[in-house]
Amino acid sequence: MVKLDILFDKLRFEEKALYNTATKKGLDVRLVDSRNIIMDTDDLELRQREFGDILLQRSISHFRGQFLTYCLELCGYKVINDSKIGEVCGNKLLTSMILKKNNIPTPKSYFSFNSDSAVEFIESVDFNSNPVVFKPVIGSWGRGVFPVRNRETGKIIIEMREESTSPFSNIFYFQELIHRPPRDIRCIVVGDKLVAAVYRYSSEDEWRTNVAKGGKAELIEVTNELEDLALKAANVVGKGILGIDMMEDEARGLLVHEINNTVEFRGASLATGIDVADMIVEYAKNYETN
C-alpha cells in the first residue's frame, strides 16, 4: 500500500479534499504541518523512515515549501511537485523567461534590478497604447499586483518598493497589460493530462480574476488549441500537478501568463463537476510508474 503524506501550512478545501479522497481509496495518508518539521544533517537515514512513500507538497509559502522540498529530496523522498518545478513556477521572472525561450505564447515582460532602472523603464512606456502591470516576482492570489496606466502610478509603486525590506524589493517585474475579456482561463494539468479548465471572472469592482479575490469560475469548452497549449506549457517546466493560467488577447489569441506550482482547484471542481482531487490522488498513487 502506498503511504501518502500531504504537506501543508494552512488547511484549505484542497488539502481536505485530497486527504478525504485518499482515505476513501484506502491509502495510508497523513496531513503533515510543514511548519512543525525539524530537519538536521545527522539523521538522514532516520528521516528516510519518517515520511510516506510519496509526498504532496501543498505549502502556501513558496519559500517554506521550496526549501523543505530540497531537504526531503536529499533524504531520498519523492515529492510532487519536485523542487525544479517549484523553483521555476514560484518565480514569475523565471517562468516568463522559460515560456518565451520555449516558444510558448506569453505576454511581453520587462525586468529591472534597481529603482533607477525601473524609473527609466516607466519613463519609456507609451501608456496610451501599451500600459503595463506590475507584479512581485514571488507571490500568489494577486497580492501586490497593480495595473500601471500612467507614469505617476508607476513611480509611486517604485517608491513603495524602495521602502520595503524584502530582498526582492529591487527586482522590478512589469508585464504588458493584455487587451482581453474580463476573465482569464485556469487549466489544471495532472501529469500529461489536462483534467479541468474554467474561465475565471473578476468580481465586481475588481480587475483581478483570482478566485481568492472573489472571482468566480465557469465551465469552458476545451478546444484542441487550449489543450495543446496547456500541455506544452506544463511540459516546459516539468511533469507534475500544475495550474496553467492563460489570457485571451484580442489580436494574438491565447497567451500563457503564469504557471502555478501549488494549484488551487476548488473553483474548477465546483464549476466542472470534475473530481480533481481524485485525479491528483490517483496520479500520486501511481507516481513511480508515471
Side-chain angles (χ1 to χ4, degrees):
M1 179 189 297
V2 173
K3 297 177 69 175
L4 177 67
D5 283 348
I6 301 169
L7 306 175
F8 73 96
D9 49 17
K10 180 179 180 181
L11 273 179
R12 300 167 293 175
F13 167 90
E14 287 79 7
E15 289 72 46
K16 294 174 184 176
L18 291 167
Y19 177 82
N20 291 335
T21 299
T23 300
K24 289 176 183 177
K25 289 178 176 290
L27 300 184
D28 183 356
V29 58
R30 296 188 307 167
L31 287 165
V32 180
D33 192 332
S34 58
R35 296 170 297 180
N36 299 330
I37 296 173
I38 300 173
M39 305 294 294
D40 67 73
T41 57
D42 290 339
D43 293 319
L44 295 186
E45 291 185 6
L46 175 64
R47 286 293 176 183
Q48 291 169 6
R49 299 191 297 272
E50 183 173 348
F51 296 100
D53 304 305
I54 303 294
L55 286 70
L56 281 177
Q57 178 56 269
R58 298 289 311 174
S59 297
I60 295 174
S61 166
H62 166 68
F63 292 107
R64 181 182 294 119
Q66 188 65 20
F67 281 89
L68 178 57
T69 299
Y70 288 142
C71 293
L72 292 168
E73 286 177 341
L74 288 170
C75 289
Y77 287 104
K78 294 179 175 63
V79 186
I80 310 172
N81 291 322
D82 65 37
S83 59
K84 292 181 180 178
I85 294 175
E87 192 168 19
V88 172
C89 295
N91 185 315
K92 294 181 180 66
L93 186 155
L94 284 178
T95 301
S96 291
M97 295 288 286
I98 287 174
L99 288 172
K100 185 64 177 179
K101 185 175 180 179
N102 287 275
N103 298 314
I104 304 295
T106 188
K108 185 174 182 179
S109 300
Y110 310 84
F111 322 117
S112 67
F113 301 96
N114 72 4
S115 57
D116 290 340
S117 59
V119 169
E120 183 178 346
F121 166 73
I122 288 296
E123 292 284 359
S124 72
V125 174
D126 180 356
F127 288 99
N128 292 323
S129 59
N130 297 301
V132 295
V133 177
F134 171 80
K135 296 182 178 182
V137 174
I138 307 292
S140 58
W141 295 345
R143 292 173 297 194
V145 177
F146 302 101
V148 184
R149 294 187 171 93
N150 54 61
R151 288 185 178 83
E152 182 181 16
T153 301
K155 291 178 180 180
I156 289 171
I157 291 170
I158 293 167
E159 288 178 8
M160 290 170 57
R161 296 283 288 181
E162 285 184 304
E163 295 175 2
S164 171
T165 58
S166 166
F168 295 98
S169 61
N170 279 317
I171 300 176
F172 294 87
Y173 174 101
F174 296 94
Q175 192 170 76
E176 63 173 316
L177 185 63
I178 300 301
H179 299 287
R180 60 171 174 83
R183 66 190 184 197
D184 72 358
I185 299 170
R186 160 64 57 86
C187 299
I188 299 176
V189 174
V190 178
D192 55 5
K193 296 179 181 178
L194 172 60
V195 302
V198 291
Y199 287 123
R200 298 189 305 176
Y201 289 87
S202 55
S203 60
E204 188 176 356
D205 299 324
E206 173 60 69
W207 69 283
R208 292 166 294 187
T209 56
N210 305 74
V211 173
K213 294 292 183 184
K216 66 175 183 177
E218 183 180 284
L219 183 66
I220 183 176
E221 178 184 354
V222 177
T223 63
N224 289 336
E225 178 191 11
L226 180 68
E227 183 174 23
D228 288 347
L229 183 56
L231 294 178
K232 285 178 182 177
N235 286 336
V236 301
V237 299
K239 201 173 183 180
I241 301 164
L242 299 164
I244 313 297
D245 291 345
M246 305 181 192
M247 291 184 283
E248 304 158 279
D249 182 76
E250 293 176 356
R252 292 168 290 178
L254 295 174
L255 303 175
V256 178
H257 63 282
E258 288 188 15
I259 302 181
N260 296 271
N261 178 48
T262 310
V263 60
E264 294 176 307
F265 53 82
R266 180 178 185 176
S269 291
L270 293 175
T272 64
I274 295 170
D275 192 343
V276 176
D278 182 81
M279 295 185 175
I280 291 174
V281 171
E282 280 295 313
Y283 178 73
K285 186 174 73 171
N286 300 297
Y287 186 63
E288 293 185 349
T289 58
N290 284 322

